Amino acid sequence: TSHGQMTLHGVTAASIQAGTSNHSIDATQIETAGDVVLTTSNGGIDLDGVQAGSLTARSSNHALHADNITTQGRLELRSTNGPIHIEKVVPGQAIELVTTNGAIEGTILDRLEQYTIESRTTHGDSNLPNEYSGGSKSLVARTTNGDIAIDFLG
């Protein structure tokens, strides 16, 4: 859609792909064994209660919020000119958080030792190590002009 808000609530499907421009995407209580791909420009993305095989969300010029997310595979969140905020996410294999001109913050329901980490910020501080060789899962967190603050609650 163009110039309109997109709301996905209570959707169960084999896979989901949706996009809009000049507005936001709200996705709550989504369940799929396949892939979820959500994209918007000039609008934010709010995710809550999503269970998926993998999840990719891309936003520009706005914030990206992901709460109560569980994936079997990859969780990829990308924003340009906006922060990324995650709460209570459980990635199956990998999590990639990348933004410019925004902070990356939140919580992962797992232990740091289960991850191999690559973290980088320019013009900001990070509570993650730049590199860490840990477990079999992967965490990439990169931003320019923002802080990185990710806590592990496992």
Side-chain angles (χ1 to χ4, degrees), residues 35-60:
D35 300 334
V36 174
V37 178
L38 303 172
T39 58
T40 184
S41 60
N42 299 318
I45 298 178
D46 289 311
L47 307 166
D48 190 4
V50 177
Q51 296 180 26
S54 70
L55 171 62
T56 300
R58 294 186 185 102
S59 172
S60 64

Side-chain angles (χ1 to χ4, degrees), residues 6-143:
M6 181 173 289
T7 301
L8 304 167
H9 177 74
V11 177
T12 300
S15 65
I16 298 169
Q17 185 167 349
T20 188
S21 61
N22 300 315
H23 225 299
S24 63
I25 297 175
D26 293 319
T28 58
Q29 305 306 314
I30 304 296
E31 188 173 338
T32 177
D35 300 334
V36 174
V37 178
L38 303 172
T39 58
T40 184
S41 60
N42 299 318
I45 298 178
D46 289 311
L47 307 166
D48 190 4
V50 177
Q51 296 180 26
S54 70
L55 171 62
T56 300
R58 294 186 185 102
S59 172
S60 64
N61 301 320
H62 218 287
L64 201 157
H65 295 273
D67 299 336
N68 303 303
I69 308 299
T70 302
T71 62
Q72 297 303 311
R74 180 177 192 79
L75 171 60
E76 179 182 347
L77 305 176
R78 292 182 176 267
S79 179
T80 305
N81 297 321
I84 295 175
H85 184 82
I86 61 171
E87 286 297 329
K88 301 177 189 168
V89 300
V90 182
Q93 297 172 354
I95 181 168
E96 187 169 348
L97 309 170
V98 178
T99 187
T100 56
N101 299 319
I104 297 172
E105 61 184 17
T107 59
I108 297 173
L109 296 178
D110 226 339
R111 293 187 337 266
L112 178 131
E113 296 81 17
Q114 294 181 304
Y115 289 84
T116 296
I117 296 173
E118 176 194 330
S119 172
R120 189 174 330 125
T121 182
T122 307
H123 307 292
D125 296 317
S126 177
N127 72 336
L128 294 175
N130 289 340
E131 291 184 15
Y132 177 80
S133 295
S136 60
K137 296 181 182 183
S138 167
L139 168 61
V140 173
R142 289 192 305 259
T143 186

